[in-house]
Amino acid sequence: MRVLHTFAEVREASVGITSLVPTMGYLHEGHLSLMATARGESDTVVVSLFVNPLQFNDQEDLARYPRDLDRDGRLAREAGVDLLFAPPLEVMYPMPALTRVTVSSLVTEMEGAYRPGHFEGVATVVAKLLAGLQPQRAYLGRKDAQQLAVIRRMAFDLSFPVDIVGGQTVRESDGLALSSRNVFLDRNERDRALGISRGLMAAADAFETGARDAHTLEGKVREMVTGAEVDYVTLADAHTAVPLSGVDRDAFLAVAARVGSTRLIDNVPFLAEPGGAISVDRGFRLSGPSILYGDRHAIDY
Ligand code: PAF
């Protein structure tokens, strides 16, 4: 694996079908599963690693975002990645970015409402990565369901010749969705955070026994998230991110909640099959502790 720092170096080193896994680093099994899928479908796998200041509306959140290039490099190499693109700030933003990408109506609800400017930062940096690296495929996690919708729409509207591929959410063994931010949770906060995934699983159970309306499904989540401060629980269209009154198409039930000083998001997607049936995707569960915690046991520490 080569570690490269400029767009031109990556383009020169890429051969054949090139896939990009964009990340902000501090890799976990969610990222690794995207890399494994990309590895199986491409000649060159590029992982970008850049903590993008443009998408942080809270400067404290940016300052404390976990960073460890050596650790990420080792994990990416073990995952069979060909090129690790780790641009310094002056390569990504040699001058202040006067051109910004806004994906209008998709960003008014949920994360867009709670993190003003966040999606403009995400869409801008991903547009720069797609333009600068020119991958044929880009892999992003479904855990950030609204982000996935925004990036898909941005790539479509701007005619990027790229397939945006969504990967299943990876969960810790007790259900907590993997996020680099999980490392901030102390034991008590982690216990309280579990209400988020338990609420989503309760909603998935209700869906599987026939519940379809948003009020019932959102209520199941709210009942379980007692140890965290809920920002929103919303059922939304998977493509437009518009709130729905019931599950009748591709959709996701999303939640954002704050546990102490850490803000977490999670969702369960509802997938419409060609024959008309709709299934719920609960994600994939690890059988043991996540690599996020190193030697520290995720649940028993
Ligand atoms: O999901 C992330 O890690 C980031 O939002 C992304 C897509 C890498 C853009 O900075």
Side-chain angles (χ1 to χ4, degrees):
M1 186 186 78
R2 294 172 64 193
V3 182
L4 303 172
H5 304 287
T6 69
F7 289 110
E9 284 170 344
V10 176
R11 282 198 307 274
E12 275 162 29
S14 300
V15 283
I17 296 174
T18 299
S19 290
L20 170 68
V21 182
T23 82
M24 296 205 300
Y26 219 78
L27 303 176
H28 51 64
E29 288 88 345
H31 301 112
L32 298 186
S33 88
L34 297 175
M35 293 176 204
T37 311
R39 180 69 286 162
E41 298 175 347
S42 3
D43 301 306
T44 304
V45 177
V46 182
V47 168
S48 65
L49 204 160
F50 179 67
V51 181
N52 174 34
L54 227 55
Q55 71 188 72
F56 285 81
N57 51 322
D58 173 349
Q59 290 311 298
E60 267 181 42
D61 192 25
L62 171 62
R64 78 166 188 159
Y65 200 83
R67 295 163 169 89
D68 189 338
L69 181 58
D70 291 343
R71 172 186 178 279
D72 289 340
R74 181 175 46 77
L75 289 168
R77 183 174 293 109
E78 286 167 10
V81 168
D82 299 297
L83 308 173
L84 186 66
F85 176 49
L89 191 63
E90 56 275 20
V91 165
M92 285 306 284
Y93 299 114
M95 290 192 278
L98 299 183
T99 304
R100 305 286 180 107
V101 181
T102 303
V103 187
S104 54
S105 63
L106 269 77
V107 306
T108 51
E109 303 284 338
M110 299 176 286
E111 289 305 282
Y114 280 86
R115 302 183 67 188
H118 167 65
F119 284 125
E120 188 176 272
V122 169
T124 302
V125 80
V126 175
K128 285 170 69 72
L129 289 167
L130 297 180
L133 303 176
Q134 300 177 0
Q136 280 87 46
R137 299 199 180 112
Y139 294 78
L140 291 130
R142 285 201 206 122
K143 188 198 148 250
D144 296 289
Q146 190 177 11
Q147 167 173 283
L148 184 59
V150 166
I151 291 173
R152 280 211 164 107
R153 186 58 189 255
M154 177 276 290
F156 176 81
D157 285 350
L158 298 182
S159 308
F160 281 110
V162 65
D163 281 338
I164 305 293
V165 184
Q168 203 177 29
T169 297
V170 182
R171 301 182 176 281
E172 297 192 33
S173 55
D174 56 4
L176 185 69
L178 278 169
S179 160
S180 306
R181 289 188 167 87
N182 291 359
V183 297
F184 297 138
L185 302 171
D186 65 25
R187 191 195 170 101
N188 173 276
E189 289 170 339
R190 201 183 174 290
D191 286 346
R192 283 153 50 206
L194 271 181
I196 298 171
S197 53
R198 288 191 177 140
L200 288 169
M201 295 310 135
D205 291 343
F207 174 83
E208 283 178 340
T209 52
R212 291 291 180 273
D213 66 292
H215 184 72
T216 304
L217 297 172
E218 291 169 5
K220 292 284 174 195
V221 180
R222 286 186 185 276
E223 272 170 31
M224 302 290 271
V225 191
T226 49
E229 282 179 64
V230 173
D231 279 348
Y232 60 81
V233 181
T234 303
L235 177 72
D237 181 295
H239 306 289
T240 63
V242 167
L244 296 174
S245 57
V247 183
D248 59 359
R249 65 192 87 168
D250 286 331
F252 58 87
L253 179 63
V255 52
R258 282 163 288 124
V259 191
S261 58
T262 305
R263 189 169 179 279
L264 299 172
I265 62 170
D266 195 358
N267 74 89
V268 282
F270 298 99
L271 309 169
E273 320 284 348
I278 301 181
S279 61
V280 60
D281 175 5
R282 294 167 186 259
F284 171 84
R285 279 195 195 208
L286 298 177
S287 53
S290 166
I291 53 170
L292 267 180
Y293 306 100
D295 293 338
R296 222 166 29 138
H297 191 290
I299 297 160
D300 293 330
Y301 69 79

